[in-house]
Protein backbone atom coordinates (compact mmCIF):
# COMPACT_ATOMS: atom_id res chain seq x y z
CA UNK A 1 0.00 0.00 0.00
CA UNK A 2 2.79 2.38 0.92
CA UNK A 3 4.66 1.57 -2.25
CA UNK A 4 1.57 2.27 -4.35
CA UNK A 5 1.10 5.62 -2.62
CA UNK A 6 4.74 6.65 -3.12
CA UNK A 7 4.60 5.64 -6.76
CA UNK A 8 1.51 7.80 -7.30
CA UNK A 9 3.14 10.80 -5.66
CA UNK A 10 6.22 10.43 -7.86
CA UNK A 11 4.08 10.28 -10.99
CA UNK A 12 2.27 13.45 -9.94
CA UNK A 13 5.57 15.28 -9.33
CA UNK A 14 6.94 14.30 -12.72
CA UNK A 15 3.74 15.51 -14.39
CA UNK A 16 3.90 18.86 -12.56
CA UNK A 17 7.55 19.42 -13.56
CA UNK A 18 6.72 18.60 -17.17
CA UNK A 19 3.83 21.05 -17.19
CA UNK A 20 6.00 23.79 -15.69
CA UNK A 21 8.73 23.21 -18.27
CA UNK A 22 6.15 23.30 -21.04
CA UNK A 23 4.90 26.71 -19.77
CA UNK A 24 8.35 28.37 -19.31
CA UNK A 25 10.00 27.10 -22.51
CA UNK A 26 8.77 29.97 -24.80
CA UNK A 27 9.85 32.62 -22.28
CA UNK A 28 13.32 31.13 -21.88
CA UNK A 29 13.69 30.91 -25.65
CA UNK A 30 12.73 34.58 -26.06
CA UNK A 31 15.09 35.62 -23.27
CA UNK A 32 17.96 33.76 -24.90
CA UNK A 33 17.26 35.36 -28.25
CA UNK A 34 17.26 38.81 -26.64
CA UNK A 35 20.57 38.15 -24.94
CA UNK A 36 22.07 37.00 -28.21
CA UNK A 37 20.78 40.08 -30.04
CA UNK A 38 22.11 42.36 -27.32
CA UNK A 39 25.54 40.83 -27.58
CA UNK A 40 25.70 41.55 -31.35
CA UNK A 41 27.69 44.78 -32.12
CA UNK A 42 25.71 47.82 -33.33
CA UNK A 43 22.36 46.29 -32.53
CA UNK A 44 19.70 47.92 -30.42
CA UNK A 45 16.82 50.31 -30.87
CA UNK A 46 17.12 52.90 -33.64
CA UNK A 47 18.35 56.33 -32.51
CA UNK A 48 16.61 59.44 -33.78
CA UNK A 49 19.20 61.91 -35.08
CA UNK A 50 19.32 65.20 -36.99
CA UNK A 51 21.42 65.21 -40.14
CA UNK A 52 22.80 67.78 -42.58
CA UNK A 53 24.24 67.00 -45.98
CA UNK A 54 27.88 67.99 -46.36
CA UNK A 55 28.31 70.59 -49.11
CA UNK A 56 31.07 71.27 -51.58
CA UNK A 57 31.57 74.95 -52.35
CA UNK A 58 34.20 77.68 -52.46
CA UNK A 59 35.04 78.88 -48.96
CA UNK A 60 36.35 82.42 -48.53
CA UNK A 61 39.09 82.78 -45.93
CA UNK A 62 38.93 85.83 -43.70
CA UNK A 63 41.14 87.18 -40.99
CA UNK A 64 39.22 88.27 -37.95
CA UNK A 65 40.53 90.84 -35.49
CA UNK A 66 39.49 93.53 -33.08
CA UNK A 67 40.18 96.95 -34.55
CA UNK A 68 40.27 100.47 -33.19
CA UNK A 69 38.29 103.20 -34.91
CA UNK A 70 40.30 106.35 -35.63
CA UNK A 71 39.60 109.59 -37.44
CA UNK A 72 41.40 110.25 -40.70
CA UNK A 73 41.69 113.90 -39.74
CA UNK A 74 41.52 115.43 -36.27
CA UNK A 75 42.56 119.06 -35.83
CA UNK A 76 43.03 121.00 -32.61
CA UNK A 77 42.09 124.64 -33.07
CA UNK A 78 44.66 127.07 -31.63
CA UNK A 79 44.84 130.86 -32.10
CA UNK A 80 47.79 132.24 -34.06
CA UNK A 81 47.76 135.61 -32.30
CA UNK A 82 47.03 136.86 -28.80
CA UNK A 83 43.62 138.48 -28.58
CA UNK A 84 40.26 138.33 -26.91
CA UNK A 85 37.46 136.24 -28.42
CA UNK A 86 34.60 138.42 -29.54
CA UNK A 87 32.31 135.74 -30.93
CA UNK A 88 31.88 131.96 -30.91
CA UNK A 89 30.11 130.85 -34.10
CA UNK A 90 29.68 127.15 -33.28
CA UNK A 91 28.24 124.89 -30.62
CA UNK A 92 29.57 121.64 -29.21
CA UNK A 93 28.78 118.59 -31.31
CA UNK A 94 27.99 120.61 -34.41
CA UNK A 95 29.07 119.38 -37.83
CA UNK A 96 30.97 122.06 -39.72
CA UNK A 97 32.19 122.36 -43.29
CA UNK A 98 35.70 123.34 -44.37
CA UNK A 99 36.04 127.15 -44.29
CA UNK A 100 33.09 127.69 -41.95
CA UNK A 101 33.75 130.35 -39.25
CA UNK A 102 34.48 128.99 -35.79
CA UNK A 103 35.72 131.94 -33.70
CA UNK A 104 36.23 135.66 -34.20
CA UNK A 105 39.01 137.44 -32.27
CA UNK A 106 39.34 141.11 -31.46
CA UNK A 107 40.97 142.49 -34.62
CA UNK A 108 41.20 146.19 -33.82
CA UNK A 109 44.92 146.15 -33.07
CA UNK A 110 45.61 144.24 -36.29
CA UNK A 111 43.52 146.70 -38.28
CA UNK A 112 45.51 149.58 -36.84
CA UNK A 113 48.77 147.87 -37.83
CA UNK A 114 47.52 147.45 -41.37
CA UNK A 115 46.59 151.13 -41.54
CA UNK A 116 49.98 152.15 -40.16
CA UNK A 117 51.78 149.98 -42.66
CA UNK A 118 49.78 151.44 -45.51
CA UNK A 119 50.52 154.99 -44.35
CA UNK A 120 54.23 154.19 -44.13
CA UNK A 121 54.09 152.82 -47.64
CA UNK A 122 52.55 156.03 -48.94
CA UNK A 123 55.23 158.09 -47.22
CA UNK A 124 58.05 155.98 -48.63
CA UNK A 125 56.50 156.03 -52.10
CA UNK A 126 56.56 159.81 -51.98
CA UNK A 127 60.21 159.74 -50.94
CA UNK A 128 60.98 157.32 -53.77
CA UNK A 129 59.26 159.57 -56.28
CA UNK A 130 61.37 162.53 -55.10
CA UNK A 131 64.55 160.45 -55.36
CA UNK A 132 63.64 159.42 -58.89
CA UNK A 133 63.12 163.08 -59.86
CA UNK A 134 66.50 163.98 -58.38
CA UNK A 135 68.10 161.19 -60.38
CA UNK A 136 66.47 162.36 -63.62
CA UNK A 137 67.60 165.95 -62.97
CA UNK A 138 71.18 164.91 -62.24
CA UNK A 139 71.32 162.93 -65.45
CA UNK A 140 70.23 166.00 -67.42
CA UNK A 141 72.89 168.06 -65.72
CA UNK A 142 75.47 165.38 -66.45
CA UNK A 143 74.72 165.61 -70.15
CA UNK A 144 75.34 169.39 -69.87
CA UNK A 145 78.54 168.81 -67.88
CA UNK A 146 77.21 170.68 -64.85
CA UNK A 147 77.61 167.70 -62.46
CA UNK A 148 79.96 164.78 -62.25
CA UNK A 149 79.14 161.12 -62.74
CA UNK A 150 79.58 160.49 -59.02
CA UNK A 151 76.63 162.80 -58.28
CA UNK A 152 74.46 160.77 -60.63
CA UNK A 153 75.62 157.53 -58.99
CA UNK A 154 74.75 158.91 -55.57
CA UNK A 155 71.21 159.75 -56.67
CA UNK A 156 70.86 156.31 -58.24
CA UNK A 157 71.85 154.67 -54.95
CA UNK A 158 69.27 156.76 -53.13
CA UNK A 159 66.56 155.62 -55.57
CA UNK A 160 67.50 151.96 -55.19
CA UNK A 161 67.60 152.23 -51.39
CA UNK A 162 64.22 153.90 -51.32
CA UNK A 163 62.77 151.24 -53.63
CA UNK A 164 63.92 148.60 -51.13
CA UNK A 165 62.20 150.53 -48.35
CA UNK A 166 58.99 150.55 -50.37
CA UNK A 167 59.26 146.79 -50.91
CA UNK A 168 59.71 146.33 -47.16
CA UNK A 169 56.63 148.46 -46.56
CA UNK A 170 54.58 146.27 -48.88
CA UNK A 171 55.80 143.16 -47.05
CA UNK A 172 54.86 144.78 -43.73
CA UNK A 173 51.36 145.37 -45.06
CA UNK A 174 51.09 141.73 -46.06
CA UNK A 175 52.24 140.62 -42.60
CA UNK A 176 49.74 142.95 -40.94
CA UNK A 177 46.97 141.57 -43.15
CA UNK A 178 47.98 138.01 -42.22
CA UNK A 179 47.71 138.91 -38.54
CA UNK A 180 44.34 140.48 -39.29
CA UNK A 181 43.27 137.27 -41.01
CA UNK A 182 44.14 135.30 -37.88
CA UNK A 183 41.33 137.13 -36.13
CA UNK A 184 38.89 134.97 -38.11
CA UNK A 185 39.35 131.29 -37.26
CA UNK A 186 37.66 128.90 -39.72
CA UNK A 187 37.29 125.12 -39.90
CA UNK A 188 40.30 123.55 -41.64
CA UNK A 189 38.22 120.54 -42.75
CA UNK A 190 34.75 119.08 -42.58
CA UNK A 191 34.07 117.36 -39.28
CA UNK A 192 32.37 117.34 -35.93
CA UNK A 193 33.17 119.92 -33.27
CA UNK A 194 34.20 118.57 -29.88
CA UNK A 195 34.10 120.29 -26.52
CA UNK A 196 34.56 124.07 -26.64
CA UNK A 197 36.88 125.33 -23.93
CA UNK A 198 36.38 129.12 -24.31
CA UNK A 199 33.62 131.68 -24.50
CA UNK A 200 33.19 135.18 -25.90
CA UNK A 201 35.44 137.50 -23.91
CA UNK A 202 38.10 134.89 -23.17
CA UNK A 203 41.65 136.05 -23.82
CA UNK A 204 43.69 133.48 -25.71
CA UNK A 205 47.26 133.17 -26.89
CA UNK A 206 49.07 130.73 -29.21
CA UNK A 207 50.24 128.85 -26.08
CA UNK A 208 46.70 128.46 -24.73
CA UNK A 209 44.98 125.04 -24.74
CA UNK A 210 43.01 124.14 -27.85
CA UNK A 211 39.87 126.18 -28.29
CA UNK A 212 38.08 123.14 -29.77
CA UNK A 213 38.72 120.11 -31.94
CA UNK A 214 37.30 119.26 -35.35
CA UNK A 215 37.19 115.53 -36.04
CA UNK A 216 36.45 114.08 -39.45
CA UNK A 217 33.95 111.23 -39.15
CA UNK A 218 33.20 110.47 -42.79
CA UNK A 219 35.13 108.67 -44.09
CA UNK A 220 36.68 107.02 -41.06
CA UNK A 221 39.46 104.48 -40.48
CA UNK A 222 39.79 101.24 -38.51
CA UNK A 223 43.25 99.98 -37.52
CA UNK A 224 43.82 96.33 -36.56
CA UNK A 225 46.68 93.80 -36.32
CA UNK A 226 47.17 90.92 -38.77
CA UNK A 227 49.55 87.94 -38.30
CA UNK A 228 52.80 88.47 -40.18
CA UNK A 229 52.36 85.30 -42.26
CA UNK A 230 49.64 87.10 -44.23
CA UNK A 231 51.78 90.09 -45.27
CA UNK A 232 52.09 88.79 -48.85
CA UNK A 233 48.32 88.49 -49.24
CA UNK A 234 47.84 91.93 -47.65
CA UNK A 235 50.26 93.63 -50.03
CA UNK A 236 48.68 91.88 -53.02
CA UNK A 237 45.21 93.03 -51.93
CA UNK A 238 46.47 96.56 -51.33
CA UNK A 239 48.11 96.73 -54.75
CA UNK A 240 45.09 95.39 -56.61
CA UNK A 241 42.59 97.40 -54.58
CA UNK A 242 40.60 94.23 -53.92
CA UNK A 243 41.06 94.20 -50.15
CA UNK A 244 37.56 94.22 -48.68
CA UNK A 245 37.16 94.68 -44.94
CA UNK A 246 33.90 94.10 -43.07
CA UNK A 247 33.22 95.80 -39.73
CA UNK A 248 30.58 94.50 -37.34
CA UNK A 249 28.62 97.40 -35.89
CA UNK A 250 28.01 97.46 -32.12
CA UNK A 251 24.86 95.85 -30.74
CA UNK A 252 24.49 93.71 -33.90
CA UNK A 253 23.23 96.68 -35.91
CA UNK A 254 24.65 95.32 -39.13
CA UNK A 255 27.95 95.64 -40.93
CA UNK A 256 29.90 98.17 -42.95
CA UNK A 257 32.19 97.31 -45.85
CA UNK A 258 35.42 99.22 -46.41
CA UNK A 259 38.68 98.91 -48.33
CA UNK A 260 42.22 98.20 -47.24
CA UNK A 261 44.22 101.44 -47.33
CA UNK A 262 47.49 100.91 -45.50
CA UNK A 263 49.91 98.17 -44.40
CA UNK A 264 52.57 99.20 -41.90
CA UNK A 265 56.24 99.02 -42.86
CA UNK A 266 57.35 97.00 -39.83
CA UNK A 267 56.25 93.92 -37.90
CA UNK A 268 55.69 94.12 -34.16
CA UNK A 269 58.44 91.79 -32.95
CA UNK A 270 56.66 91.12 -29.64
CA UNK A 271 53.26 90.22 -31.09
CA UNK A 272 54.34 88.95 -34.53
CA UNK A 273 51.71 91.10 -36.22
CA UNK A 274 51.64 93.95 -38.69
CA UNK A 275 49.30 96.91 -38.30
CA UNK A 276 46.91 97.60 -41.16
CA UNK A 277 44.26 100.24 -41.72
CA UNK A 278 40.98 100.16 -43.62
CA UNK A 279 38.78 103.08 -44.64
CA UNK A 280 34.99 103.08 -44.32
CA UNK A 281 32.27 105.41 -45.54
CA UNK A 282 30.50 106.60 -42.39
CA UNK A 283 27.69 108.94 -43.43
CA UNK A 284 25.45 107.91 -40.54
CA UNK A 285 28.32 108.14 -38.03
CA UNK A 286 27.88 104.51 -36.99
CA UNK A 287 31.60 104.19 -36.26
CA UNK A 288 33.03 106.45 -33.57
CA UNK A 289 36.71 107.32 -33.00
CA UNK A 290 38.26 105.39 -30.15
CA UNK A 291 35.69 102.58 -30.22
CA UNK A 292 36.57 98.91 -30.66
CA UNK A 293 35.01 96.98 -33.52
CA UNK A 294 35.27 93.42 -34.84
CA UNK A 295 36.58 93.33 -38.41
CA UNK A 296 37.15 90.65 -41.03
CA UNK A 297 39.55 90.90 -43.96
CA UNK A 298 39.32 88.53 -46.93
CA UNK A 299 42.74 87.06 -47.73
CA UNK A 300 41.95 84.12 -50.02
CA UNK A 301 39.65 81.17 -50.59
CA UNK A 302 39.50 77.37 -50.51
CA UNK A 303 37.92 76.21 -53.79
CA UNK A 304 35.71 73.13 -53.65
CA UNK A 305 35.87 72.80 -49.86
CA UNK A 306 33.68 70.36 -47.90
CA UNK A 307 31.55 72.19 -45.34
CA UNK A 308 29.92 70.61 -42.28
CA UNK A 309 28.38 72.13 -39.14
CA UNK A 310 30.81 72.62 -36.29
CA UNK A 311 28.22 71.04 -34.00
CA UNK A 312 28.75 67.74 -35.80
CA UNK A 313 32.46 67.53 -34.93
CA UNK A 314 33.42 65.32 -31.99
CA UNK A 315 36.63 66.31 -30.21
CA UNK A 316 38.48 63.16 -29.18
CA UNK A 317 41.65 62.69 -27.17
CA UNK A 318 43.72 61.99 -30.29
CA UNK A 319 41.66 63.21 -33.24
CA UNK A 320 38.43 64.81 -34.34
CA UNK A 321 35.62 62.82 -35.89
CA UNK A 322 32.03 62.96 -37.12
CA UNK A 323 29.22 60.46 -37.48
CA UNK A 324 27.78 59.96 -40.96
CA UNK A 325 24.81 57.85 -42.02
CA UNK A 326 25.89 54.92 -44.18
CA UNK A 327 23.99 53.38 -47.06
CA UNK A 328 22.65 50.72 -44.67
CA UNK A 329 21.07 53.37 -42.45
CA UNK A 330 23.61 52.87 -39.66
CA UNK A 331 26.01 55.32 -38.04
CA UNK A 332 29.62 55.35 -39.23
CA UNK A 333 32.39 57.12 -37.33
CA UNK A 334 34.79 59.11 -39.56
CA UNK A 335 38.06 60.73 -38.55
CA UNK A 336 38.32 64.27 -39.99
CA UNK A 337 40.80 67.12 -40.16
CA UNK A 338 39.46 70.65 -39.65
CA UNK A 339 41.10 72.87 -42.29
CA UNK A 340 39.33 76.12 -41.43
CA UNK A 341 36.30 77.28 -39.50
CA UNK A 342 34.09 80.29 -38.98
CA UNK A 343 31.14 80.66 -36.69
CA UNK A 344 29.08 77.45 -36.88
CA UNK A 345 30.64 75.99 -40.05
CA UNK A 346 33.91 74.15 -40.65
CA UNK A 347 35.92 72.98 -43.64
CA UNK A 348 36.97 69.33 -43.17
CA UNK A 349 38.64 66.47 -44.96
CA UNK A 350 37.52 62.86 -44.55
CA UNK A 351 33.91 63.42 -45.58
CA UNK A 352 32.50 63.41 -49.11
CA UNK A 353 30.03 65.91 -50.52
CA UNK A 354 26.35 64.96 -50.03
CA UNK A 355 27.12 62.52 -47.20
CA UNK A 356 24.65 62.94 -44.37
CA UNK A 357 26.45 64.18 -41.26
CA UNK A 358 24.80 63.66 -37.86
CA UNK A 359 24.48 66.92 -35.91
CA UNK A 360 22.12 66.15 -32.99
CA UNK A 361 21.75 62.82 -31.21
CA UNK A 362 25.34 61.67 -31.69
CA UNK A 363 25.81 61.33 -27.94
CA UNK A 364 23.54 58.26 -28.06
CA UNK A 365 25.39 56.59 -30.90
CA UNK A 366 28.11 54.06 -31.33
CA UNK A 367 29.49 52.75 -34.64
CA UNK A 368 26.90 50.55 -36.33
CA UNK A 369 23.90 51.90 -34.47
CA UNK A 370 20.74 52.08 -36.61
CA UNK A 371 19.43 55.62 -36.93
CA UNK A 372 16.21 57.38 -37.84
CA UNK A 373 16.99 60.65 -39.63
CA UNK A 374 15.41 64.03 -39.23
CA UNK A 375 16.50 66.92 -41.44
CA UNK A 376 18.07 69.89 -39.69
CA UNK A 377 16.42 73.29 -39.73
CA UNK A 378 17.04 75.37 -42.90
CA UNK A 379 19.38 77.61 -40.90
CA UNK A 380 21.89 74.79 -40.58
CA UNK A 381 25.42 75.95 -41.17
CA UNK A 382 26.28 73.60 -44.00
CA UNK A 383 23.19 74.59 -45.94
CA UNK A 384 24.19 78.23 -46.16
CA UNK A 385 26.51 79.26 -48.99
CA UNK A 386 29.27 81.79 -48.82
CA UNK A 387 30.46 81.19 -45.25
CA UNK A 388 33.88 82.56 -44.41
CA UNK A 389 36.69 81.54 -42.14
CA UNK A 390 37.68 83.56 -39.11
CA UNK A 391 41.24 84.71 -38.71
CA UNK A 392 42.16 82.56 -35.79
CA UNK A 393 40.97 79.43 -37.58
CA UNK A 394 42.59 79.87 -40.96
CA UNK A 395 44.21 76.98 -42.85
CA UNK A 396 46.12 74.76 -40.50
CA UNK A 397 49.87 74.38 -41.16
Amino acid sequence: MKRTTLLGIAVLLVAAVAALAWTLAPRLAASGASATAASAPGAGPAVTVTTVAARREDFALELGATGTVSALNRVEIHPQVSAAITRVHIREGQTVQAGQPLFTLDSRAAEVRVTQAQAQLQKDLATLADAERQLARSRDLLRQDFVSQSAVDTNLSQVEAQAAVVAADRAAIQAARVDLGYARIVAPSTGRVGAIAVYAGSYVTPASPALATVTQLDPIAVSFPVPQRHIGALLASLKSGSGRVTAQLPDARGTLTGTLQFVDSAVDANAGTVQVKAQFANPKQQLWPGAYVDVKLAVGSLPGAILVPQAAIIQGAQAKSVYVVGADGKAQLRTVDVVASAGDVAVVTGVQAAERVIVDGKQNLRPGSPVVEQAAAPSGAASRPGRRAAAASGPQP
Side-chain angles (χ1 to χ4, degrees), residues 174-382:
Q174 292 296 325
R177 286 175 176 170
V178 168
D179 288 343
L180 180 60
Y182 287 146
R184 183 175 179 268
I185 302 176
V186 299
S189 61
T190 300
R192 186 178 187 272
V193 177
I196 300 175
V198 294
Y199 305 93
S202 301
Y203 187 83
V204 294
T205 69
S208 299
L211 308 183
T213 58
V214 176
T215 304
Q216 181 181 357
L217 298 179
D218 182 25
I220 203 165
V222 176
S223 301
F224 55 96
V226 173
Q228 61 181 359
R229 65 179 180 274
H230 298 293
I231 290 178
L234 291 173
L235 295 177
S237 298
L238 184 63
K239 183 177 180 180
S240 64
S242 60
R244 292 291 178 268
V245 182
T246 303
Q248 178 67 49
L249 296 176
D251 302 327
R253 289 180 292 147
T255 60
L256 290 180
T257 301
T259 56
L260 185 65
Q261 294 292 319
F262 168 74
V263 178
D264 202 356
S265 303
V267 173
D268 186 337
N270 294 324
T273 59
V274 61
Q275 198 74 10
V276 301
K277 183 183 293 184
Q279 182 173 310
F280 294 82
N282 192 34
K284 297 181 180 179
Q285 299 183 1
Q286 295 167 294
L287 295 177
W288 211 251
Y292 293 102
V293 62
D294 292 330
V295 295
K296 292 182 179 180
L297 169 64
V299 294
S301 64
L302 296 175
I306 301 297
L307 274 64
V308 300
Q310 291 227 54
I313 299 174
I314 303 170
Q315 179 65 58
Q318 302 295 330
K320 298 179 181 178
S321 58
V322 297
Y323 274 111
V324 299
V325 180
D328 57 357
K330 296 181 179 180
Q332 298 178 3
L333 189 63
R334 298 278 185 85
T335 300
V336 297
D337 290 328
V338 178
V339 178
S341 62
D344 55 0
V345 70
V347 177
V348 300
T349 60
V351 176
Q352 300 300 317
E355 284 193 301
R356 302 187 305 281
V357 179
I358 297 174
V359 180
D360 296 323
K362 57 185 180 294
Q363 68 276 6
N364 301 320
L365 295 175
R366 60 180 179 177
S369 297
V371 297
V372 176
E373 295 184 62
Q374 290 182 345
S379 60

Side-chain angles (χ1 to χ4, degrees), residues 121-142:
L121 174 62
Q122 295 301 320
K123 176 183 176 182
D124 291 334
L125 283 174
T127 303
L128 175 61
D130 181 64
E132 290 174 342
R133 288 192 296 269
Q134 294 294 335
L135 175 60
R137 187 177 300 110
S138 63
R139 284 174 175 170
D140 289 340
L141 293 175
L142 176 63

